[in-house]
Amino acid sequence: MERNHHYTGLSDKQIVESRKIHGENVLTPPKKESLWVRFFGKFTDPIIVILLIALALSAGVSCYEYFSGHGAVGVFFEPAGILTAILLATVVGFWFELSANKKFEILNRVNDDTLVKVIRSGNIRQIFKREIVVGDIVIMETGDEVPADGELLDAVSLQVNESTLTGEPVARKTTNPAGFDKEATYPSNHVMKGTTIADGHCIMRVFKVGDATEYGKVYEGAQIDSSVETPLNRQLDRLADLITKASYAIAGLIIAGRLVSYFVDAGGLQVTDWIQFGGFVLQTVMIAVTVIVVAVPEGLPMSVTLSLALSMKRMLSTNNLVRKMHACETMGATTVICTDKTGTLTQNRMQIYQTNFYGYDGALSTATETGKLIAEGIAVNSTAWLDFTDDAKINALGNPTEGALLLWLHENGINYLPLREGAEIVEQLTFSTERKYMATVVQSPLSGKKILYVKGAPEIVLSFCKNIPVPVTEIHAQLLQYQNQAMRTLGFAYQVIENGAECIRNGKLAEDLNLTYLGIAAISDPVRKDVPDAVRNCINAGINIKIVTGDTPGTAKEIGRQIGLWNENEPEEHHLTGTEFAGMPDEELLTRINDLKILSRARPMDKQRLVQLLQQKGQVVAVTGDGTNDAPALNAAQVGLSMGDGTSVAKEASDITILDNSFGSISRAVMWGRSLYQNIQRFILFQMTINVAACIIVLIGAFLGTESPLTVTQMLWVNLIMDTFAALALASLPPNEKVMNDKPRKTTDHIISRPMTGGILSTGLIFVAALFGLIQYFKHADVTSLSEFDFAEFGRSFFNFSPGNGLSAYELSLFFTVFVMLQFWNMFNAKAFMSGKSAFHALSACKGFLSVAAVILLGQWFIVTAGREMFSVVPLQYSDWGIIIGVTSTVLWVGEIKRLFK
């Protein structure tokens, strides 16, 4: 490249000293947790902790029973079952997250061994990017990535794509203080690591490398573990606390009640037979432990894990690659989405919005003289190129604005290459921030003469023109209209050069030219087509949208207007610039933060601060972005959403990667999250009804002195296997689009809502009454078939607390099957919970639910028929199966009648 100054660069000794003082040009990689640490991290889940306590108590009682000779090996079934439940819940969650992270790592591979041209010891040489040190002189051209932070020494027509750091696709850079942009995010004579040279060439001196660069600071901010607790985790913590307190209270009640009963029967507090009393106390403690174990919903961690895991898999089909499992559900609790502009709301691809070439109407065609001039002028007076490698998506290389013009030619059926190659370039002035125009003189094959083509800032180009086809006021009105829409504008002019007239003098256009003004073009980074509808869906769902961008206030507001977020009557208090934001104390911002809609000229750490302030206000924040500048905010948010074609740093900091870069996928993720939360609530409603019924039955049995009619293995089938299948059934329910009409739930809400509490207690107590009555009836009647059921005897035996005849194996099998079938039909009620519709609504579309229901039914039949000694059951008659299924189905029909009247 041609240089105006001679640079020597660093000597070998200076390179060593600089590296010793300032370090290498590498980013410190994040410390990754080992697989073991990540796996054992799953055991910190609040419900898993309760299960671990239950496992310890159960294992202790089982060991005592076995080694004291009071029980066989079968006593270890209960702790083994609880251990299985723990391992299933933790292993499944770990496996799904591991699988998602492997997909992510493939998506996110980066090559850091790029060669860079530097001047060292007076010679130009190529070195790897990581070998650059502070003080190095680096030479860069169009297309090069800036390897470190540096100060410009020379710059020719330099434009830098800073979208990875600021969201600004084109930032003009110069060494001339007169051309410095005071509002620029970074100084006009500085270029930053991670940005790209969009046009021109330059020489810079490196002043920061590695972690010390702006890119490095953002990268470090992205690795800070924000440890933001998700709403679901908080709610499960509260549920675990409730279950712990309730089970311990019931256990304490049993111990206190039985001790009072013992001393009342003994006629005083004096113990006469310590051995007999010790045995009574031990039996009481074992009953209390049984209550604690029964109260713990062993299937809940597995159900939550399965629900999240299935959602991870199904969300991938809607272009949401979920890396962290809880992010599936947290999206449903989101109250604020802070979104980047460039590449998220917009396409990050400059396009021609409209052209106004005077005296030329309709599609561009080279069949007319004016059309030929326009096409040739755009083709030859440009430094951009088009990459036709992918026919589906033609990419512009070089300056994005010039690339948009070439793409416009292509859309009009004109290939720029033959025009460019057919016209010999005689002279050229590339674009510079000082001149604000580009000029090229070519030997045109169109007329056989030399033609001067000029493009640049419309007002500047207009000042060189003598032939203007329309009134200047009309041109200014058009420019004002486009500029109010935050669009870039270019003016075009030409002149046929006669008699070898001089066009360029002293690096500028000659003042005595006779240019003809061709017209203007408006260029924009268009909003993605799906964004306005997606934003409207989110706003209707009670979610606040905030645009956070490094772009100018005018551009940010115009994009806000196009997506339906900003209007002409919007108070100015709803907008802040990065400078204003950084200058305000937290106390003042906290009073304005909820109403803020646009933060323009924002720096990376401004975005992170905004997220943290919103969280202080109790908001659940999701952040979307594709640039390195978004990474700290992505990491600090409860949910970080990166774009599939975003930078590796942004994707590493995120929880979900939107593979199709569509904001519409984000609104679908919200719908999935809310539907998932409903499914988890449905399962809790289903399981807690079982646990309430089982606890009360054990409690009644403890005071009546009777053993539980349900064995340990039977309860494990209900609490572990059946509940897991039920979790699969409820998790497989399709998402409900109507949840987008609701407002976000409050993070202070308990996961068991008031309607759920009423349903759990009322249904559980009805089940207890029915099951208790059945036990009493079986104790006082010798039942060999339900077809002989005596309702009169059932009524008489309900309050008959005499020991009776005990329970036969057939009666216990009947009781076990009735208990399971009551829960089976209640699963259909759980399916319809909060839907406002019948349990049979769209049942044909719920193939997964029906399949799992069939598996539960067949599984119960198989266990009762073939379980024998292991499950303490005997086969039932087919007529009794029919009676049980028919009678217990009243649970569903009663629920349907309630829903009908509601």
Side-chain angles (χ1 to χ4, degrees):
M1 79 180 262
E2 189 177 330
R3 292 183 279 122
N4 299 323
H5 303 90
H6 178 72
Y7 300 105
T8 304
L10 299 176
S11 65
D12 291 343
K13 183 180 179 181
Q14 289 172 322
I15 293 167
V16 173
E17 289 176 353
S18 179
R19 186 172 287 123
K20 186 176 180 180
I21 296 170
H22 302 286
E24 294 187 323
N25 189 35
V26 292
L27 300 176
T28 305
K31 186 179 179 182
K32 291 199 173 184
E33 293 180 328
S34 68
L35 292 179
W36 284 110
V37 171
R38 284 155 64 187
F39 174 66
F40 284 117
K42 295 292 175 188
F43 289 85
T44 60
D45 184 282
I47 303 294
I48 295 291
V49 171
I50 293 183
L51 278 178
L52 288 170
I53 295 170
L55 173 63
L57 293 172
S58 178
V61 171
S62 297
C63 287
Y64 171 80
E65 288 185 335
Y66 179 75
F67 291 111
S68 65
H70 291 92
V73 178
V75 297
F76 290 103
F77 278 144
E78 182 175 285
I82 297 172
L83 179 62
T84 303
I86 293 170
L87 290 177
L88 279 174
T90 51
V91 169
V92 168
F94 175 72
W95 176 261
F96 270 88
E97 285 193 359
L98 195 64
S99 174
N101 279 325
K102 283 182 180 178
K103 291 187 179 77
F104 174 80
E105 285 167 7
I106 293 170
L107 181 73
N108 210 27
R109 284 177 181 161
V110 182
N111 180 17
D112 200 34
D113 290 335
T114 309
L115 289 170
V116 180
K117 290 191 287 290
V118 298
I119 302 173
R120 287 181 173 179
S121 301
N123 297 314
I124 297 177
R125 64 180 72 172
Q126 284 191 320
I127 62 172
F128 288 121
K129 184 166 64 176
R130 63 174 180 269
E131 296 174 350
I132 283 177
V133 297
V134 170
D136 260 329
I137 306 295
V138 182
I139 302 171
M140 291 178 290
E141 299 173 354
T142 301
D144 289 346
E145 181 180 307
V146 180
D149 289 0
E151 180 182 3
L152 291 171
L153 302 176
D154 281 339
V156 178
S157 305
L158 188 61
Q159 297 182 63
V160 178
N161 183 342
E162 288 189 343
S163 59
T164 57
L165 272 179
T166 66
E168 184 73 55
V170 178
R172 305 193 190 285
K173 299 292 183 177
T174 180
T175 56
N176 183 358
F180 287 0
D181 181 0
K182 294 179 180 179
E183 292 185 358
T185 309
Y186 296 109
S188 295
N189 64 333
H190 286 184
V191 285
M192 319 310 289
K193 177 182 174 64
T195 60
T196 308
I197 307 299
D199 192 20
H201 45 84
C202 66
I203 297 175
M204 75 164 185
R205 177 180 282 114
V206 174
F207 58 73
K208 284 183 181 178
V209 294
D211 292 336
T213 63
E214 288 298 309
Y215 189 95
K217 291 174 185 175
V218 173
Y219 185 79
E220 184 182 2
Q223 308 309 324
I224 297 170
D225 183 12
S226 56
S227 300
V228 178
E229 191 179 29
T230 67
L232 182 61
N233 273 338
R234 283 199 294 270
Q235 290 176 305
L236 288 177
D237 278 338
R238 293 178 66 189
L239 178 60
D241 188 52
L242 174 65
I243 292 170
T244 302
K245 289 178 179 177
S247 59
Y248 288 171
I250 295 172
L253 185 63
I254 288 172
I255 293 172
R258 282 176 60 88
L259 286 175
V260 169
S261 176
Y262 177 86
F263 288 117
V264 168
D265 292 342
L269 296 176
Q270 189 173 358
V271 177
T272 55
D273 188 342
W274 283 99
I275 295 176
Q276 189 254 352
F277 177 71
F280 178 83
V281 170
L282 180 61
Q283 184 187 23
T284 300
V285 171
M286 288 175 66
I287 293 171
V289 170
T290 301
V291 167
I292 292 172
V293 173
V294 169
V296 175
E298 288 91 345
L300 182 56
M302 185 64 179
S303 74
V304 173
T305 301
L306 277 174
S307 297
L308 293 170
L310 279 175
S311 291
M312 283 178 74
K313 185 175 180 181
R314 293 164 74 183
M315 285 174 74
L316 183 58
S317 67
T318 60
N319 295 304
N320 290 279
L321 173 58
V322 181
R323 296 179 60 220
K324 298 175 184 176
M325 207 174 265
H326 279 285
C328 298
E329 183 281 328
T330 307
M331 276 305 299
T334 297
T335 58
V336 176
I337 296 177
C338 296
T339 177
D340 182 36
K341 178 190 74 70
T342 307
T344 305
L345 300 177
T346 65
Q347 299 176 20
N348 197 15
R349 188 182 187 191
M350 304 302 285
Q351 291 183 16
I352 302 298
Y353 172 76
Q354 192 172 24
T355 58
N356 282 292
F357 290 112
Y358 308 120
Y360 192 90
D361 297 321
L364 184 65
S365 170
T366 53
T368 66
E369 197 64 34
T370 306
K372 290 176 182 178
L373 286 168
I374 294 169
E376 186 179 64
I378 289 174
V380 300
N381 193 29
S382 173
T383 58
W385 302 80
L386 293 185
D387 178 6
F388 293 97
T389 306
D390 185 357
D391 292 335
K393 186 180 180 183
I394 299 169
N395 292 312
L397 307 177
N399 184 290
T401 304
E402 292 186 337
L405 290 167
L406 298 184
L407 286 167
W408 179 73
L409 284 184
H410 179 77
E411 289 166 4
N412 282 275
I414 300 172
N415 189 343
Y416 77 100
L417 269 177
L419 294 171
R420 182 179 291 182
E421 292 169 354
E424 179 189 348
I425 296 178
V426 179
E427 279 186 288
Q428 188 173 72
L429 287 175
T430 56
F431 185 90
S432 73
T433 53
E434 292 81 12
R435 286 191 298 266
K436 298 190 185 315
Y437 63 81
M438 177 178 181
T440 304
V441 179
V442 298
Q443 186 68 45
S444 174
L446 299 178
S447 61
K449 296 180 181 181
K450 291 181 182 178
I451 300 180
L452 167 65
Y453 291 107
V454 181
K455 77 167 186 294
E459 298 87 348
I460 302 294
V461 175
L462 190 62
S463 68
F464 288 106
C465 295
K466 301 283 179 62
N467 304 312
I468 304 170
V470 297
V472 174
T473 53
E474 183 179 325
I475 296 174
H476 286 312
Q478 288 175 339
L479 290 174
L480 183 62
Q481 178 187 344
Y482 292 139
Q483 287 160 4
N484 286 340
Q485 293 176 269
M487 293 184 185
R488 288 188 172 89
T489 52
L490 283 177
F492 300 84
Y494 81 99
Q495 179 180 335
V496 178
I497 308 299
E498 303 284 355
N499 304 319
E502 190 178 19
C503 303
I504 298 173
R505 297 191 193 112
N506 301 320
K508 295 180 181 180
L509 285 176
E511 296 179 359
D512 55 349
L513 293 173
N514 189 26
L515 287 165
T516 299
Y517 204 62
L518 279 170
I520 57 178
I523 302 169
S524 68
D525 179 8
V527 168
R528 294 179 185 272
K529 292 181 180 178
D530 65 320
V531 167
D533 287 340
V535 168
R536 192 181 308 112
N537 288 341
C538 289
I539 292 173
N540 291 341
I543 300 171
N544 290 321
I545 307 292
K546 301 182 188 296
I547 297 176
V548 188
T549 177
D551 227 326
T552 63
T555 301
K557 289 177 183 178
E558 174 57 24
I559 295 300
R561 186 193 65 78
Q562 291 182 30
I563 66 173
L565 187 65
W566 190 268
N567 59 63
E568 295 176 358
N569 301 320
E570 200 75 43
E572 194 55 37
E573 291 77 18
H574 293 176
H575 164 260
L576 285 174
T577 64
T579 306
E580 293 168 341
F581 182 83
M584 288 184 180
D586 287 356
E587 294 74 20
E588 184 180 353
L589 283 173
L590 286 170
T591 63
R592 295 182 57 178
I593 209 80
N594 284 342
D595 295 326
L596 183 67
K597 289 190 175 181
I598 295 175
L599 178 61
S600 62
R601 288 298 189 193
R603 293 196 178 195
M605 305 318 287
D606 293 336
K607 299 183 181 186
Q608 185 184 40
R609 184 186 176 204
L610 173 64
V611 170
Q612 291 167 340
L613 288 170
L614 286 166
Q615 289 170 342
Q616 286 182 39
K617 295 287 286 184
Q619 304 285 0
V620 179
V621 186
V623 171
T624 73
D626 66 336
T628 302
N629 57 320
D630 302 311
L634 287 167
N635 192 60
Q638 277 96 340
V639 183
L641 299 144
S642 62
M643 298 296 136
D645 60 1
T647 65
S648 58
V649 177
K651 288 185 282 188
E652 187 69 45
S654 66
D655 304 298
I656 299 175
T657 298
I658 309 298
L659 299 178
D660 63 351
N661 305 313
S662 168
F663 202 90
S665 295
I666 296 170
S667 65
R668 287 195 294 274
V670 173
M671 180 187 69
W672 273 102
R674 292 186 177 186
S675 299
L676 171 60
Y677 182 73
Q678 280 193 351
N679 288 344
I680 291 173
Q681 281 189 308
R682 287 169 180 147
F683 179 78
I684 291 173
L685 173 70
F686 167 78
Q687 174 142 54
M688 293 307 292
T689 303
I690 296 176
N691 286 53
V692 165
C695 275
I696 295 175
I697 287 172
V698 172
L699 183 63
I700 293 172
F703 285 103
L704 293 181
T706 60
E707 293 185 7
S708 172
L710 296 170
T711 66
V712 169
T713 49
Q714 287 172 356
M715 281 306 297
L716 284 174
W717 155 250
V718 173
N719 264 0
L720 181 57
I721 309 302
M722 178 182 165
D723 286 356
T724 299
F725 281 124
L728 274 171
L730 294 170
S732 68
L733 294 176
N736 181 8
E737 293 185 6
K738 288 189 175 180
V739 295
M740 295 300 283
N741 297 327
D742 301 330
K743 300 300 178 187
R745 72 178 190 270
K746 295 179 181 177
T747 54
T748 54
D749 290 348
H750 201 287
I751 197 167
I752 300 180
S753 61
R754 285 190 177 183
M756 289 174 68
T757 303
I760 290 168
L761 293 178
S762 60
T763 307
L765 290 172
I766 291 169
F767 284 1
V768 167
L771 293 167
F772 177 73
L774 203 60
I775 292 172
Q776 291 294 88
Y777 176 69
F778 286 162
K779 281 168 61 178
H780 298 92
D782 188 14
V783 178
T784 56
S785 173
L786 289 178
S787 58
E788 304 168 359
F789 195 88
D790 187 341
F791 285 97
E793 179 60 30
F794 178 82
R796 286 191 297 271
S797 61
F798 194 92
F799 296 103
N800 185 352
F801 298 119
S802 62
N805 303 322
L807 301 176
S808 67
Y810 194 82
E811 289 169 338
L812 286 170
S813 300
L814 287 172
F815 180 86
F816 174 48
T817 304
V818 169
F819 180 78
V820 169
M821 291 310 299
L822 285 172
Q823 318 307 331
F824 174 81
W825 292 116
N826 196 41
M827 184 175 70
F828 286 81
N829 286 333
K831 171 190 176 292
F833 181 68
M834 292 186 294
S835 69
K837 296 177 180 177
S838 165
F840 298 101
H841 176 75
L843 199 58
S844 58
C846 306
K847 294 179 180 177
F849 181 89
L850 291 174
S851 299
V852 174
V855 168
I856 292 174
L857 198 57
L858 290 172
Q860 180 64 21
W861 174 83
F862 179 79
I863 283 173
V864 172
T865 304
R868 306 284 176 167
E869 290 83 5
M870 182 177 181
F871 284 91
S872 305
V873 290
V874 294
L876 298 180
Q877 301 173 37
Y878 286 109
S879 59
D880 285 347
W881 273 107
I883 292 170
I884 291 172
I885 291 172
V887 172
T888 55
S889 70
T890 54
V891 172
L892 171 60
W893 305 123
V894 170
E896 284 294 286
I897 292 169
K898 281 180 64 180
R899 285 185 286 275
L900 179 64
F901 281 102
K902 279 189 177 181

